Amino acid sequence: MNTIFSDAQTRLTDIFEHVQLSDDIRERLASPKLSLSVSIPIRMDDGGLRVFTGYRVQFDDTRGPTKGGVRFHPAVSLDEVTSLSFWMTIKCAVAGLPFGGAKGGVIVNPKELSNLELERLSRGYIRAIADIIGPKRDIPAPDVYTNATIMGWMADEYYQIMREQLPGVITGKPVHLGGSLGREAATGQGALYVLQQWALQHNLEPVKTTIALQGFGNAGYQFARLAQQAGYRIVALSDSKGAVHSEKGLDVDKIMLHKRTRRELKAMLYCDASVCEETDHTTITNEELLELDVDVLVLAALENQITAENANLIQARQIVEIANGPVNSQADAILATRGIPVLPDVLVNSGGVTVSYFEWVQNRAGYYWELDEVNTKLKIIMDREARNIFALAEEKNISLRTAAYIYGVQRIAGAISEKGTREYFQTKT
Ligand code: GLU
């Protein structure tokens, strides 16, 4: 069956062609360590009971406690959560963090819930999975349609269950509740550090570089804001409801302000004079945004956005994946033959989990860092891993994704091998 997970696993097949690794590694990375499906009964505001389905999948913990976000989305499925937990395993290894990978999700459209219902659901989810998480076991964080407030509720629920404050159980918490400075912007900031390294090596001058961005959630917004500050021209933006385009460039913060008040980018069509007067833009569809003639297409929405169906229509000179899995393996092959490089998710968006790691370290030490310290440390990791992966791709003449996977899987393989593989045991007996 063609699942997201089977597609994700084909990337491993690719890398085993380039590096010599024990079959044991392949075997270990073929299926998750633990998959939990839960039912979460929630009392709704109208007095009725609704039972939501949730998941937590811990993929591999060889390198440390498992780590990964929780998404609240109507399209969540066990297949998706399993794939995301696999990507987290690779991502944590790519960034060199002492974590394995996990992911969680609840099938829900949070936009349809009141804040009180959302709080009950967040707490209910933690009650359902409390037995398998913990600061030394599995550490959730935000993902699509979850945020710092939700992490605060989740952490609080866990403290109540455990009867002690254990802030290291969840990252991405509000700063006043033990969160780290810089976590909110970390995914976007990390992605920009990677793009800057790429730009440096490919002589892309920010002021002459146009960007189209799909996805205006937290990561997409933070990236767009910081990229604009760095001089890049954001010519198109989209969210789940619509997209706007302007060759002159869009004012990211004004659009965010507008989105917050009107809740959708499409509303820009009818927008108040304040924004319309200043941005000479047109409304386009999401498909049109993906096919724009721009220097950089940044994908910050959901998985499977570029597939065999539209990969031939992409005109961007390079693609940057801030979302997890936005380009599938068939599209990867088409883009590679067309010479369009894809800066892969497991590198580009690893800034989020990297600052989650910093938050976990600060929680466990009980000592909190200044923002400068967070960003300096983040930049060191992103620059280093980006440079290593770019160099490996060039040296072996392989895609950036294959290079990133080789890089990450070799770290995981190192950890698995230290526990002994078939080769080791055969020679010793
Ligand atoms: N959900 C984010 C990701 O996909 C962050 C995970 C984390 O901070 O643990 O990388």
Side-chain angles (χ1 to χ4, degrees):
M1 203 176 52
N2 202 5
T3 58
I4 309 174
F5 186 58
S6 60
D7 190 68
Q9 285 269 314
T10 61
R11 265 76 186 249
L12 280 186
T13 320
D14 280 358
I15 73 146
F16 286 108
E17 283 170 15
H18 295 280
V19 278
Q20 199 65 39
L21 290 171
S22 165
D23 286 347
D24 290 19
I25 316 289
R26 185 78 190 269
E27 196 67 17
R28 282 291 294 273
L29 294 177
S31 47
K33 185 177 179 211
L34 174 68
S35 294
L36 182 66
S37 299
V38 294
S39 293
I40 313 160
I42 297 298
R43 184 65 57 196
M44 305 302 279
D45 291 348
D46 66 3
L49 187 80
R50 256 181 83 181
V51 179
F52 293 89
T53 302
Y55 306 101
R56 184 76 187 167
V57 177
Q58 299 170 354
F59 197 86
D60 181 74
D61 65 354
T62 318
R63 301 185 72 255
T66 51
K67 185 87 194 76
V70 180
R71 101 174 20 183
F72 284 179
H73 194 274
V76 161
S77 65
L78 186 56
D79 172 38
E80 182 194 52
V81 176
T82 307
S83 311
L84 289 159
S85 71
F86 166 70
W87 287 323
M88 283 307 305
T89 307
I90 305 288
K91 190 190 304 183
C92 290
V94 165
L97 310 177
F99 289 137
K103 202 78 173 199
V106 177
I107 306 173
V108 59
N109 182 355
K111 294 175 188 170
E112 288 169 2
L113 301 190
S114 71
N115 283 344
L116 276 170
E117 289 167 342
L118 198 57
E119 182 186 359
R120 283 181 220 125
L121 180 62
S122 307
R123 289 180 182 277
Y125 176 69
I126 290 302
R127 281 196 299 279
I129 65 160
D131 287 338
I132 65 161
I133 61 170
K136 296 176 185 170
R137 242 177 128 174
D138 179 16
I139 305 125
D143 196 74
V144 173
Y145 290 168
T146 54
N147 58 19
T149 306
I150 291 175
M151 296 307 115
W153 292 329
M154 287 184 172
D156 184 64
E157 190 65 28
Y158 189 75
Y159 306 161
Q160 294 192 32
I161 294 166
M162 303 306 288
R163 299 238 175 263
E164 62 180 315
Q165 299 242 355
L166 293 161
V169 68
I170 281 175
T171 59
K173 301 178 294 295
V175 170
H176 296 296
L177 294 175
S180 175
L181 293 172
R183 176 62 186 85
E184 187 95 3
T187 310
Q189 179 69 76
L192 182 64
Y193 288 146
V194 174
L195 177 61
Q196 296 282 54
Q197 280 299 321
W198 180 258
L200 213 62
Q201 295 190 8
H202 293 81
N203 299 320
L204 289 183
E205 248 185 90
V207 286
K208 293 190 189 146
T209 305
T210 54
I211 296 182
L213 168 71
Q214 183 203 35
F216 205 44
N218 179 49
Y221 163 62
Q222 298 290 349
F223 170 81
R225 182 177 67 79
L226 295 164
Q228 188 164 54
Q229 275 171 23
Y232 291 91
R233 183 149 49 100
I234 315 287
V235 295
L237 281 176
S238 73
D239 69 2
S240 59
K241 303 212 177 86
V244 284
H245 177 222
S246 161
E247 268 313 310
K248 279 196 224 150
L250 299 159
D251 185 327
V252 173
D253 272 317
K254 271 199 180 133
I255 293 183
M256 180 44 95
L257 190 70
H258 203 84
K259 180 176 151 77
R260 283 198 178 124
T261 44
R262 301 291 289 266
R263 304 195 77 90
E264 57 183 274
L265 292 181
K266 201 171 59 187
M268 297 286 293
L269 247 191
Y270 325 99
C271 65
D272 330 326
S274 58
V275 181
C276 288
E277 271 164 12
E278 296 191 39
T279 44
D280 175 15
H281 60 264
T282 49
T283 301
I284 55 172
T285 64
N286 192 42
E287 291 70 39
E288 285 168 338
L289 178 137
L290 296 178
E291 295 161 18
L292 282 175
D293 181 2
V294 286
D295 295 308
V296 186
L297 173 62
V298 179
L299 303 169
L302 292 170
E303 53 273 4
N304 277 339
Q305 298 302 300
I306 315 260
T307 62
E309 311 255 292
N310 61 355
N312 272 313
L313 303 171
I314 303 303
Q315 297 188 65
R317 257 71 71 201
Q318 43 251 308
I319 295 177
V320 173
E321 295 184 321
I322 293 185
N324 291 305
V327 177
N328 78 2
S329 63
Q330 286 175 318
D332 256 354
I334 298 170
L335 294 167
T337 51
R338 295 188 56 216
I340 303 175
V342 179
L343 279 64
D345 49 5
V346 290
L347 166 67
V348 171
N349 72 26
S350 63
V353 69
T354 299
V355 178
S356 273
Y357 165 57
F358 297 162
E359 180 172 331
W360 180 78
V361 168
Q362 293 170 75
N363 290 154
R364 296 183 54 159
Y367 176 74
Y368 289 83
W369 310 347
E370 299 293 336
L371 180 59
D372 270 359
E373 191 173 353
V374 171
N375 281 334
T376 306
K377 287 190 158 79
L378 173 64
K379 188 170 188 316
I380 290 170
I381 293 179
M382 301 307 297
D383 286 356
R384 183 183 63 214
E385 304 307 340
R387 278 200 298 264
N388 286 339
I389 288 165
F390 298 162
L392 186 64
E394 208 169 293
E395 177 200 316
K396 290 192 177 276
N397 195 20
I398 51 178
S399 72
L400 294 163
R401 188 182 318 279
T402 306
Y405 271 63
I406 290 179
Y407 210 76
V409 169
Q410 275 179 333
R411 282 183 172 146
I412 301 168
I416 294 174
S417 304
E418 292 299 339
K419 292 182 173 174
T421 56
R422 183 166 63 105
E423 293 74 10
Y424 172 82
F425 289 111
Q426 271 180 349
T427 56
K428 295 285 169 173
T429 52

